[in-house]
Amino acid sequence: MFSSRFLLASLFVLSFQQSALCQRQDTAQSVDSRTQQPPHVIGLLDPSLSSVEHWDKLSIQGSDLHPNPPIPGQTDIFPEFKRDLLRVQWRDGDPIDLYIVRPAGISRPPVILYLYGYPGEAVRFLDPNFCKTVTKNGFAAVGFSSMLTGQRYHDVPMKQWFVSDLEHALVGTTHDVQMVLNYLEERGDFDSAHAGVFGEGSGGTIALLAASVDPRIKAVDVLNPWGDWPSWLAASRIVPDRERPDYLAPAFLKSIALLDPVHVLPRLSRTPLRLQQTTWDSRSTPAISKDLMAAALPSTARLVRYTDVTEYTEKAGSNGRMLDWIEGILSDTRPR
């Protein structure tokens, strides 16, 4: 586990190398806009500001998080899209690499946030083909990694990780979603009031939590979210067997009870919601957890189950068809 986490912690450095490689894959105009600030300045909040964050609440209302001015990383301009890598920060010691990809020639495009589950992260935004797919119908795509994942795994003991600090990781990243929407709203060049969120795995869980507290999120599409914590922690292969008893202890389960999609899903009856499940693969999310989350869906939600890889590929996994549902919902909810 030490080696895998060391690699994750190193990925931000590698991402800039990968970005240079991606520029050579397609014809693109690149603009290097990195600041000349000393390295020790990057990652520190303005000491004159005092941020307050309430970790017992999913909403940032009542918190007072002070964002630093974004630090530009790199801009890549392709014929079909423009991709920006920024570093944003509103929490001491926790800078976030934020990828913003917008379609060419579209003024104030609607936004879809992409949240990929642990241990996945946002470096897939460095793939030009991925960027073409997520922007081809006029939508902007925004992505960042969850807390304690990838470049955000730092300054903690090596035995501490996403699941061992599940409450902190889920609540903090739910706050981050709201702060990213605030940032996009302040920029004024995106329609962040009609945003959608796509989430996979733990990212799907965070998408559901964020939608329960932020009315700007007009559509939620999740694939195999983690949830029903007692059954998930008992059977998911994400959890090492030697650590499992710690997470099934009553105190740990109590700390995350209010963050369980089984309890959150019924409250999302007014938000267009699709739950997608791959029934043949239960390694990350056990079958019993999937069944209990499906049973908790409000009557207004849509449930889609794929029975095998072939069906998933045909209906969702090729040519960006996965995005048809959420893009259709957002198009319908935007004012004409």
PDB file of all heavy atoms in Angstrom, residues 44-69:
ATOM      1  N   LEU A  44      -0.273  27.867   0.100  1.00  0.00           N
ATOM      2  CA  LEU A  44      -0.519  28.524   1.374  1.00  0.00           C
ATOM      3  C   LEU A  44      -1.621  29.556   1.222  1.00  0.00           C
ATOM      4  O   LEU A  44      -1.618  30.351   0.292  1.00  0.00           O
ATOM      5  CB  LEU A  44       0.752  29.216   1.877  1.00  0.00           C
ATOM      6  CG  LEU A  44       1.955  28.300   2.163  1.00  0.00           C
ATOM      7  CD1 LEU A  44       3.143  29.141   2.597  1.00  0.00           C
ATOM      8  CD2 LEU A  44       1.613  27.285   3.233  1.00  0.00           C
ATOM      9  N   LEU A  45      -2.575  29.533   2.150  1.00  0.00           N
ATOM     10  CA  LEU A  45      -3.621  30.541   2.146  1.00  0.00           C
ATOM     11  C   LEU A  45      -3.083  31.871   2.634  1.00  0.00           C
ATOM     12  O   LEU A  45      -2.095  31.940   3.363  1.00  0.00           O
ATOM     13  CB  LEU A  45      -4.773  30.104   3.053  1.00  0.00           C
ATOM     14  CG  LEU A  45      -5.649  28.958   2.531  1.00  0.00           C
ATOM     15  CD1 LEU A  45      -6.647  28.550   3.588  1.00  0.00           C
ATOM     16  CD2 LEU A  45      -6.365  29.368   1.265  1.00  0.00           C
ATOM     17  N   ASP A  46      -3.745  32.947   2.224  1.00  0.00           N
ATOM     18  CA  ASP A  46      -3.388  34.281   2.685  1.00  0.00           C
ATOM     19  C   ASP A  46      -3.485  34.318   4.208  1.00  0.00           C
ATOM     20  O   ASP A  46      -4.558  34.109   4.777  1.00  0.00           O
ATOM     21  CB  ASP A  46      -4.370  35.289   2.070  1.00  0.00           C
ATOM     22  CG  ASP A  46      -4.002  36.726   2.393  1.00  0.00           C
ATOM     23  OD1 ASP A  46      -3.261  36.946   3.379  1.00  0.00           O
ATOM     24  OD2 ASP A  46      -4.468  37.625   1.672  1.00  0.00           O
ATOM     25  N   PRO A  47      -2.384  34.547   4.907  1.00  0.00           N
ATOM     26  CA  PRO A  47      -2.412  34.514   6.375  1.00  0.00           C
ATOM     27  C   PRO A  47      -3.288  35.593   6.987  1.00  0.00           C
ATOM     28  O   PRO A  47      -3.630  35.511   8.165  1.00  0.00           O
ATOM     29  CB  PRO A  47      -0.934  34.697   6.760  1.00  0.00           C
ATOM     30  CG  PRO A  47      -0.312  35.371   5.578  1.00  0.00           C
ATOM     31  CD  PRO A  47      -1.050  34.856   4.382  1.00  0.00           C
ATOM     32  N   SER A  48      -3.644  36.618   6.225  1.00  0.00           N
ATOM     33  CA  SER A  48      -4.504  37.674   6.768  1.00  0.00           C
ATOM     34  C   SER A  48      -5.964  37.233   6.829  1.00  0.00           C
ATOM     35  O   SER A  48      -6.788  37.905   7.437  1.00  0.00           O
ATOM     36  CB  SER A  48      -4.389  38.936   5.906  1.00  0.00           C
ATOM     37  OG  SER A  48      -4.930  38.710   4.608  1.00  0.00           O
ATOM     38  N   LEU A  49      -6.299  36.101   6.173  1.00  0.00           N
ATOM     39  CA  LEU A  49      -7.657  35.604   6.165  1.00  0.00           C
ATOM     40  C   LEU A  49      -7.753  34.375   7.057  1.00  0.00           C
ATOM     41  O   LEU A  49      -6.842  33.565   7.130  1.00  0.00           O
ATOM     42  CB  LEU A  49      -8.097  35.236   4.744  1.00  0.00           C
ATOM     43  CG  LEU A  49      -8.072  36.370   3.718  1.00  0.00           C
ATOM     44  CD1 LEU A  49      -8.445  35.845   2.346  1.00  0.00           C
ATOM     45  CD2 LEU A  49      -9.022  37.492   4.128  1.00  0.00           C
ATOM     46  N   SER A  50      -8.876  34.241   7.729  1.00  0.00           N
ATOM     47  CA  SER A  50      -9.101  33.096   8.610  1.00  0.00           C
ATOM     48  C   SER A  50     -10.323  32.347   8.122  1.00  0.00           C
ATOM     49  O   SER A  50     -11.449  32.826   8.236  1.00  0.00           O
ATOM     50  CB  SER A  50      -9.306  33.574  10.058  1.00  0.00           C
ATOM     51  OG  SER A  50      -9.561  32.486  10.906  1.00  0.00           O
ATOM     52  N   SER A  51     -10.117  31.174   7.536  1.00  0.00           N
ATOM     53  CA  SER A  51     -11.215  30.377   7.010  1.00  0.00           C
ATOM     54  C   SER A  51     -11.856  29.556   8.121  1.00  0.00           C
ATOM     55  O   SER A  51     -11.186  29.071   9.037  1.00  0.00           O
ATOM     56  CB  SER A  51     -10.724  29.440   5.905  1.00  0.00           C
ATOM     57  OG  SER A  51     -10.424  30.166   4.737  1.00  0.00           O
ATOM     58  N   VAL A  52     -13.156  29.409   8.024  1.00  0.00           N
ATOM     59  CA  VAL A  52     -13.916  28.581   8.962  1.00  0.00           C
ATOM     60  C   VAL A  52     -14.683  27.561   8.146  1.00  0.00           C
ATOM     61  O   VAL A  52     -15.408  27.922   7.217  1.00  0.00           O
ATOM     62  CB  VAL A  52     -14.896  29.432   9.803  1.00  0.00           C
ATOM     63  CG1 VAL A  52     -15.740  28.529  10.699  1.00  0.00           C
ATOM     64  CG2 VAL A  52     -14.144  30.454  10.633  1.00  0.00           C
ATOM     65  N   GLU A  53     -14.514  26.284   8.477  1.00  0.00           N
ATOM     66  CA  GLU A  53     -15.185  25.216   7.753  1.00  0.00           C
ATOM     67  C   GLU A  53     -15.884  24.305   8.753  1.00  0.00           C
ATOM     68  O   GLU A  53     -15.260  23.780   9.670  1.00  0.00           O
ATOM     69  CB  GLU A  53     -14.180  24.423   6.914  1.00  0.00           C
ATOM     70  CG  GLU A  53     -14.829  23.376   6.023  1.00  0.00           C
ATOM     71  CD  GLU A  53     -13.853  22.804   5.002  1.00  0.00           C
ATOM     72  OE1 GLU A  53     -12.628  23.027   5.155  1.00  0.00           O
ATOM     73  OE2 GLU A  53     -14.313  22.144   4.039  1.00  0.00           O
ATOM     74  N   HIS A  54     -17.180  24.110   8.556  1.00  0.00           N
ATOM     75  CA  HIS A  54     -17.961  23.262   9.460  1.00  0.00           C
ATOM     76  C   HIS A  54     -18.006  21.844   8.894  1.00  0.00           C
ATOM     77  O   HIS A  54     -18.724  21.564   7.938  1.00  0.00           O
ATOM     78  CB  HIS A  54     -19.375  23.829   9.637  1.00  0.00           C
ATOM     79  CG  HIS A  54     -19.409  25.153  10.338  1.00  0.00           C
ATOM     80  ND1 HIS A  54     -19.003  25.310  11.652  1.00  0.00           N
ATOM     81  CD2 HIS A  54     -19.774  26.390   9.917  1.00  0.00           C
ATOM     82  CE1 HIS A  54     -19.134  26.579  12.021  1.00  0.00           C
ATOM     83  NE2 HIS A  54     -19.591  27.259  10.978  1.00  0.00           N
ATOM     84  N   TRP A  55     -17.268  20.957   9.525  1.00  0.00           N
ATOM     85  CA  TRP A  55     -17.150  19.587   9.040  1.00  0.00           C
ATOM     86  C   TRP A  55     -18.346  18.725   9.420  1.00  0.00           C
ATOM     87  O   TRP A  55     -18.455  17.581   8.967  1.00  0.00           O
ATOM     88  CB  TRP A  55     -15.862  18.967   9.565  1.00  0.00           C
ATOM     89  CG  TRP A  55     -14.659  19.615   8.968  1.00  0.00           C
ATOM     90  CD1 TRP A  55     -13.944  20.662   9.477  1.00  0.00           C
ATOM     91  CD2 TRP A  55     -14.053  19.302   7.714  1.00  0.00           C
ATOM     92  NE1 TRP A  55     -12.925  21.003   8.623  1.00  0.00           N
ATOM     93  CE2 TRP A  55     -12.963  20.180   7.541  1.00  0.00           C
ATOM     94  CE3 TRP A  55     -14.316  18.349   6.729  1.00  0.00           C
ATOM     95  CZ2 TRP A  55     -12.147  20.139   6.418  1.00  0.00           C
ATOM     96  CZ3 TRP A  55     -13.502  18.301   5.609  1.00  0.00           C
ATOM     97  CH2 TRP A  55     -12.428  19.192   5.452  1.00  0.00           C
ATOM     98  N   ASP A  56     -19.234  19.252  10.230  1.00  0.00           N
ATOM     99  CA  ASP A  56     -20.435  18.490  10.604  1.00  0.00           C
ATOM    100  C   ASP A  56     -21.615  18.813   9.700  1.00  0.00           C
ATOM    101  O   ASP A  56     -22.731  18.355   9.949  1.00  0.00           O
ATOM    102  CB  ASP A  56     -20.809  18.764  12.062  1.00  0.00           C
ATOM    103  CG  ASP A  56     -21.084  20.242  12.344  1.00  0.00           C
ATOM    104  OD1 ASP A  56     -20.644  21.096  11.535  1.00  0.00           O
ATOM    105  OD2 ASP A  56     -21.734  20.545  13.355  1.00  0.00           O
ATOM    106  N   LYS A  57     -21.377  19.595   8.626  1.00  0.00           N
ATOM    107  CA  LYS A  57     -22.447  19.969   7.705  1.00  0.00           C
ATOM    108  C   LYS A  57     -21.990  19.734   6.269  1.00  0.00           C
ATOM    109  O   LYS A  57     -20.852  20.036   5.906  1.00  0.00           O
ATOM    110  CB  LYS A  57     -22.826  21.444   7.877  1.00  0.00           C
ATOM    111  CG  LYS A  57     -23.360  21.800   9.259  1.00  0.00           C
ATOM    112  CD  LYS A  57     -23.649  23.296   9.341  1.00  0.00           C
ATOM    113  CE  LYS A  57     -24.157  23.677  10.725  1.00  0.00           C
ATOM    114  NZ  LYS A  57     -24.401  25.138  10.830  1.00  0.00           N
ATOM    115  N   LEU A  58     -22.908  19.227   5.430  1.00  0.00           N
ATOM    116  CA  LEU A  58     -22.590  19.047   4.014  1.00  0.00           C
ATOM    117  C   LEU A  58     -22.601  20.366   3.261  1.00  0.00           C
ATOM    118  O   LEU A  58     -21.834  20.564   2.326  1.00  0.00           O
ATOM    119  CB  LEU A  58     -23.588  18.081   3.372  1.00  0.00           C
ATOM    120  CG  LEU A  58     -23.415  16.605   3.714  1.00  0.00           C
ATOM    121  CD1 LEU A  58     -24.588  15.797   3.171  1.00  0.00           C
ATOM    122  CD2 LEU A  58     -22.110  16.077   3.138  1.00  0.00           C
ATOM    123  N   SER A  59     -23.464  21.280   3.654  1.00  0.00           N
ATOM    124  CA  SER A  59     -23.537  22.575   2.996  1.00  0.00           C
ATOM    125  C   SER A  59     -22.426  23.487   3.510  1.00  0.00           C
ATOM    126  O   SER A  59     -22.046  23.427   4.686  1.00  0.00           O
ATOM    127  CB  SER A  59     -24.895  23.228   3.247  1.00  0.00           C
ATOM    128  OG  SER A  59     -24.917  24.552   2.746  1.00  0.00           O
ATOM    129  N   ILE A  60     -21.904  24.344   2.628  1.00  0.00           N
ATOM    130  CA  ILE A  60     -20.911  25.322   3.077  1.00  0.00           C
ATOM    131  C   ILE A  60     -21.574  26.573   3.633  1.00  0.00           C
ATOM    132  O   ILE A  60     -20.874  27.486   4.084  1.00  0.00           O
ATOM    133  CB  ILE A  60     -19.948  25.706   1.938  1.00  0.00           C
ATOM    134  CG1 ILE A  60     -20.697  26.301   0.747  1.00  0.00           C
ATOM    135  CG2 ILE A  60     -19.098  24.526   1.535  1.00  0.00           C
ATOM    136  CD1 ILE A  60     -19.783  26.867  -0.331  1.00  0.00           C
ATOM    137  N   GLN A  61     -22.891  26.636   3.624  1.00  0.00           N
ATOM    138  CA  GLN A  61     -23.571  27.760   4.265  1.00  0.00           C
ATOM    139  C   GLN A  61     -23.247  27.732   5.757  1.00  0.00           C
ATOM    140  O   GLN A  61     -23.386  26.712   6.421  1.00  0.00           O
ATOM    141  CB  GLN A  61     -25.075  27.674   4.043  1.00  0.00           C
ATOM    142  CG  GLN A  61     -25.504  27.926   2.607  1.00  0.00           C
ATOM    143  CD  GLN A  61     -27.006  27.981   2.452  1.00  0.00           C
ATOM    144  OE1 GLN A  61     -27.758  27.898   3.419  1.00  0.00           O
ATOM    145  NE2 GLN A  61     -27.461  28.116   1.217  1.00  0.00           N
ATOM    146  N   GLY A  62     -22.799  28.856   6.270  1.00  0.00           N
ATOM    147  CA  GLY A  62     -22.356  28.923   7.650  1.00  0.00           C
ATOM    148  C   GLY A  62     -20.854  28.789   7.781  1.00  0.00           C
ATOM    149  O   GLY A  62     -20.274  29.236   8.771  1.00  0.00           O
ATOM    150  N   SER A  63     -20.212  28.156   6.793  1.00  0.00           N
ATOM    151  CA  SER A  63     -18.747  28.148   6.751  1.00  0.00           C
ATOM    152  C   SER A  63     -18.270  29.452   6.114  1.00  0.00           C
ATOM    153  O   SER A  63     -19.039  30.168   5.474  1.00  0.00           O
ATOM    154  CB  SER A  63     -18.235  26.960   5.936  1.00  0.00           C
ATOM    155  OG  SER A  63     -18.510  25.734   6.587  1.00  0.00           O
ATOM    156  N   ASP A  64     -17.021  29.747   6.288  1.00  0.00           N
ATOM    157  CA  ASP A  64     -16.449  30.975   5.728  1.00  0.00           C
ATOM    158  C   ASP A  64     -15.090  30.630   5.130  1.00  0.00           C
ATOM    159  O   ASP A  64     -14.049  30.875   5.723  1.00  0.00           O
ATOM    160  CB  ASP A  64     -16.326  32.041   6.821  1.00  0.00           C
ATOM    161  CG  ASP A  64     -15.952  33.406   6.250  1.00  0.00           C
ATOM    162  OD1 ASP A  64     -16.147  33.609   5.041  1.00  0.00           O
ATOM    163  OD2 ASP A  64     -15.469  34.256   7.025  1.00  0.00           O
ATOM    164  N   LEU A  65     -15.142  30.033   3.938  1.00  0.00           N
ATOM    165  CA  LEU A  65     -13.931  29.611   3.257  1.00  0.00           C
ATOM    166  C   LEU A  65     -13.452  30.729   2.327  1.00  0.00           C
ATOM    167  O   LEU A  65     -14.213  31.215   1.502  1.00  0.00           O
ATOM    168  CB  LEU A  65     -14.191  28.333   2.458  1.00  0.00           C
ATOM    169  CG  LEU A  65     -14.506  27.092   3.291  1.00  0.00           C
ATOM    170  CD1 LEU A  65     -14.988  25.961   2.396  1.00  0.00           C
ATOM    171  CD2 LEU A  65     -13.286  26.656   4.088  1.00  0.00           C
ATOM    172  N   HIS A  66     -12.206  31.115   2.476  1.00  0.00           N
ATOM    173  CA  HIS A  66     -11.646  32.211   1.691  1.00  0.00           C
ATOM    174  C   HIS A  66     -10.742  31.649   0.595  1.00  0.00           C
ATOM    175  O   HIS A  66      -9.637  31.184   0.877  1.00  0.00           O
ATOM    176  CB  HIS A  66     -10.841  33.155   2.588  1.00  0.00           C
ATOM    177  CG  HIS A  66     -11.650  33.813   3.645  1.00  0.00           C
ATOM    178  ND1 HIS A  66     -12.507  34.859   3.386  1.00  0.00           N
ATOM    179  CD2 HIS A  66     -11.759  33.556   4.976  1.00  0.00           C
ATOM    180  CE1 HIS A  66     -13.095  35.240   4.508  1.00  0.00           C
ATOM    181  NE2 HIS A  66     -12.673  34.457   5.489  1.00  0.00           N
ATOM    182  N   PRO A  67     -11.174  31.680  -0.656  1.00  0.00           N
ATOM    183  CA  PRO A  67     -10.327  31.144  -1.728  1.00  0.00           C
ATOM    184  C   PRO A  67      -9.189  32.089  -2.075  1.00  0.00           C
ATOM    185  O   PRO A  67      -9.363  33.306  -2.111  1.00  0.00           O
ATOM    186  CB  PRO A  67     -11.300  30.985  -2.892  1.00  0.00           C
ATOM    187  CG  PRO A  67     -12.382  31.989  -2.632  1.00  0.00           C
ATOM    188  CD  PRO A  67     -12.499  32.093  -1.142  1.00  0.00           C
ATOM    189  N   ASN A  68      -8.030  31.515  -2.320  1.00  0.00           N
ATOM    190  CA  ASN A  68      -6.924  32.276  -2.882  1.00  0.00           C
ATOM    191  C   ASN A  68      -7.188  32.526  -4.361  1.00  0.00           C
ATOM    192  O   ASN A  68      -7.938  31.782  -5.001  1.00  0.00           O
ATOM    193  CB  ASN A  68      -5.620  31.486  -2.742  1.00  0.00           C
ATOM    194  CG  ASN A  68      -4.892  31.792  -1.455  1.00  0.00           C
ATOM    195  OD1 ASN A  68      -5.342  32.581  -0.630  1.00  0.00           O
ATOM    196  ND2 ASN A  68      -3.764  31.135  -1.265  1.00  0.00           N
ATOM    197  N   PRO A  69      -6.580  33.548  -4.940  1.00  0.00           N
ATOM    198  CA  PRO A  69      -6.667  33.698  -6.396  1.00  0.00           C
ATOM    199  C   PRO A  69      -6.124  32.449  -7.085  1.00  0.00           C
ATOM    200  O   PRO A  69      -5.089  31.913  -6.672  1.00  0.00           O
ATOM    201  CB  PRO A  69      -5.790  34.925  -6.680  1.00  0.00           C
ATOM    202  CG  PRO A  69      -5.765  35.686  -5.392  1.00  0.00           C
ATOM    203  CD  PRO A  69      -5.816  34.649  -4.307  1.00  0.00           C
TER     204      PRO A  69
END
